[in-house]
Amino acid sequence: MEKVIEIKNLTKVFKNGRGITDINLDIHRGEIFGFLGPNGSGKTTTMKIMTGLMKPDSGDVKILGHSVLEDFEKAMEKVGCIIETAESYPYLTAYENLKQFSRYYKNVDDDRINEVLELTGIIKYKNEKPRKFSLGMKQRLGIAAAILSKPEVIILDEPLNGLDVEGMLDMRNLIKSLAERENTTFFISSHLIHDVELTCTHIGILYNGKLLNVDTTRNILNNYASLENYFVSEVETNGKV
Amino acid sequence: MGRFKTALINEIEKLYKRKKLVVALIISFIIIILGQLIILGVNRGFGIRGVGSMEFPMLVLSVVVNTILPLFTALVAIDSFSGEFSNNTMKIALTRPVTRLKFFTAKITAILLFVLFNLLFVMVLSTLAGLIFNANSFTLRGVIDIIVSYLVTLLPMLVLTLVIVVFTNILRSGVGVFFLSIFVFIILKALGMVFSRYSGILFTSMLDWYKLFTISPLPILKIANKFSMMVGYVIILFTTGYYLFDKKEF
């Protein structure tokens, strides 16, 4: 299968000693990869390096064969993402925010903007400014922005933050249908272990900045009663609990 | 080039929507009208000739270039950088397929276009006010002087913009950058007055360089000297600003 994301020897250590050390990971087309780990384990740091918001101390990330360090534009051309929090310009309407992003891509017109607003359930707030939005609505707008250009790779850091139950279900269905219908590859970080279990096809566990193990959800559930058990077992095996 | 253009269009849209441009234009308008009323008052009340129609736009420029124009340039530059750093909105564009160099250059260009638009607005309005309220007639040389003076002011404003952009990439707080910019501006102005022999190397003294273009015959060597100095400043400040911006982590 075609490698879509290649992470090689990625290391980034902050002054306080936290960070990530020697992460190696390959993600293939159509996979929904769940990046599991407790707070401060280095999930967001990894994703920030993947999207050019941070530079690593060493190592590299290639997306669709292009290095984010050497050929950023090409690497990000077919990537949509939400990192840490879904941000939008508070003085622009939801439509104007998406219009700003759409200008970077050739295939995005007003119909596509309306389509993603419809898909994420915020079409009726199209002409409202996000400063009046709830956290969940801001998150939906962030997801609309991430999927706007029909990207081949979508990187989502805690995509379910602030969403209600209905929103979580919608989002899970949206992720699954994009992966099935359009073969979109997802890289999702979450601390909601149950949701990762229901959504992701592959799971990697990050603990104290180190990648402990990567396996398919099917394999894990064949060997363990739940993903939670697997997580605890992996962490214990590596002598951390 | 396409990605730079996109980033520039986005920056211009953001600048326009934040309403800073409208406020700047309204204040420029008020200053011109007030200036004209004062001149009329002096003229009629004391019988002293204020300025002729050709001189009024130049008088307005000398006031604007040392007061509201640097002030609004600072506000817009701080908003564009410090504002986006603190609102965490910088990462919106940084995670799109555009390099930091293109994005940084687009931001500077948008600020410069704001300055240009403001200058042109003040030029047209003050010229019209001068024409309507003052007796002297226009000459072609006078019109050319006005246009050239307003246009060449863009260069020292670029230097000022880059100084502020460097500050925004060093200090976290937008308020801090604002006060530091004002402090540096006043200190350099004062230094320019105290050590007038060396004032030529201070960028604050270059805000008035448009006056060189109204002298006849044209002091080409002096213009070339100041121009080179400003280009030097632009290269150093742009490189420093970009270096700091590129190293920033979000």
Side-chain angles (χ1 to χ4, degrees), chain A residues 52-55, chain B residues 85 100 168-172 243-250:
Chain A
L53 293 175
M54 265 184 194
K55 290 193 173 70
Chain B
F85 290 143
R100 285 201 187 188
T168 61
N169 279 280
I170 296 171
L171 294 183
R172 273 172 184 262
Y243 173 77
L244 294 171
F245 184 70
D246 190 47
K247 273 178 76 88
K248 263 201 180 307
E249 300 195 325
F250 296 90

Side-chain angles (χ1 to χ4, degrees), chain A residues 12 83 96 100 103, chain B residues 10 13 17 91 249-250:
Chain A
K12 169 88 182 174
I83 304 297
E96 286 165 346
Q100 283 250 333
R103 293 190 184 109
Chain B
N10 283 351
E13 185 188 32
K17 294 280 178 180
K91 68 180 181 190
E249 300 195 325
F250 296 90

Side-chain angles (χ1 to χ4, degrees), chain A residues 108-122:
Chain A
V108 183
D109 54 14
D110 278 7
D111 290 341
R112 176 64 187 161
I113 293 177
N114 288 325
E115 191 185 336
V116 294
L117 286 169
E118 187 82 56
L119 270 172
T120 48
I122 50 170

Side-chain angles (χ1 to χ4, degrees), chain A residues 29-44:
Chain A
R29 191 173 287 281
E31 287 180 4
I32 306 175
F33 182 83
F35 210 30
L36 260 183
N39 294 335
S41 58
K43 300 188 298 287
T44 300

Side-chain angles (χ1 to χ4, degrees), chain A residues 12 48 52-53 55 72-73 76-77 81 83 85 87-89 91-92 96 100-101 103-105, chain B residues 3 6-7 10 13-14 17-18 88-89 91-92 94-100 102 246 249-250:
Chain A
K12 169 88 182 174
K48 282 186 172 179
L53 293 175
K55 290 193 173 70
F72 184 73
E73 283 187 3
M76 292 301 286
E77 208 165 60
C81 62
I83 304 297
T85 45
E87 299 295 347
S88 47
Y89 300 112
Y91 44 86
L92 300 180
E96 286 165 346
Q100 283 250 333
F101 311 140
R103 293 190 184 109
Y104 286 107
Y105 310 99
Chain B
R3 296 261 156 78
T6 301
N10 283 351
E13 185 188 32
K14 277 155 53 184
K17 294 280 178 180
R18 273 184 299 217
N88 220 359
T89 47
K91 68 180 181 190
I92 297 176
L94 289 178
T95 50
R96 301 285 151 186
V98 60
T99 59
R100 285 201 187 188
K102 286 179 191 167
D246 190 47
E249 300 195 325
F250 296 90

Side-chain angles (χ1 to χ4, degrees), chain B residues 124-178:
Chain B
V124 170
L125 205 69
S126 60
T127 307
L128 283 176
L131 196 65
I132 295 165
F133 295 105
N134 302 303
N136 297 18
S137 60
F138 266 67
T139 61
L140 182 65
R141 168 70 209 244
V143 174
I144 292 170
D145 276 355
I146 292 168
I147 294 172
V148 170
S149 298
Y150 273 80
L151 287 182
V152 296
T153 301
L154 203 59
L155 188 56
M157 291 312 295
L158 172 61
V159 178
L160 178 75
T161 303
L162 290 169
V163 170
I164 296 163
V165 167
V166 169
F167 289 162
T168 61
N169 279 280
I170 296 171
L171 294 183
R172 273 172 184 262
S173 148
V175 179
V177 173
F178 184 70

Side-chain angles (χ1 to χ4, degrees), chain A residues 46-213:
Chain A
T46 310
M47 291 173 131
K48 282 186 172 179
I49 296 171
M50 288 169 76
T51 50
L53 293 175
M54 265 184 194
K55 290 193 173 70
D57 295 340
S58 60
D60 196 3
V61 177
K62 280 186 182 172
I63 302 178
L64 296 162
H66 303 284
S67 159
V68 290
L69 298 176
E70 284 159 21
D71 199 358
F72 184 73
E73 283 187 3
K74 279 258 165 64
M76 292 301 286
E77 208 165 60
K78 291 168 183 170
V79 177
C81 62
I82 298 179
I83 304 297
E84 223 167 20
T85 45
E87 299 295 347
S88 47
Y89 300 112
Y91 44 86
L92 300 180
T93 64
Y95 168 79
E96 286 165 346
N97 264 289
L98 294 178
K99 189 75 192 167
Q100 283 250 333
F101 311 140
S102 72
R103 293 190 184 109
Y104 286 107
Y105 310 99
K106 283 180 190 139
N107 58 342
V108 183
D109 54 14
D110 278 7
D111 290 341
R112 176 64 187 161
I113 293 177
N114 288 325
E115 191 185 336
V116 294
L117 286 169
E118 187 82 56
L119 270 172
T120 48
I122 50 170
I123 186 79
K124 58 184 169 191
Y125 308 109
K126 180 181 169 180
N127 296 314
E128 285 187 27
K129 292 179 180 168
R131 63 162 65 103
K132 297 173 191 161
F133 284 8
S134 67
L135 185 62
M137 279 159 68
K138 281 181 187 164
Q139 194 70 12
R140 284 168 187 262
L141 181 59
I143 290 162
I147 62 172
L148 182 68
S149 61
K150 293 189 178 172
E152 290 178 23
V153 182
I154 299 182
I155 300 167
L156 302 173
D157 188 7
E158 303 286 358
L160 305 179
N161 262 358
L163 291 180
D164 51 22
V165 177
E166 193 188 354
M168 284 189 188
L169 289 171
D170 287 349
M171 220 40 68
R172 194 183 303 147
N173 291 335
L174 180 68
I175 291 168
K176 282 185 161 180
S177 79
L178 282 175
E180 271 167 31
R181 279 189 294 118
E182 297 181 25
N183 219 11
T184 308
T185 309
F186 282 88
F187 189 102
I188 302 172
S189 86
S190 181
H191 59 267
L192 300 174
I193 213 157
H194 179 64
D195 201 78
V196 171
E197 185 179 317
L198 292 174
T199 314
C200 301
T201 58
H202 291 68
I203 286 158
I205 292 184
L206 195 67
Y207 194 87
N208 274 350
K210 290 193 176 98
L211 191 64
L212 300 186
N213 201 4

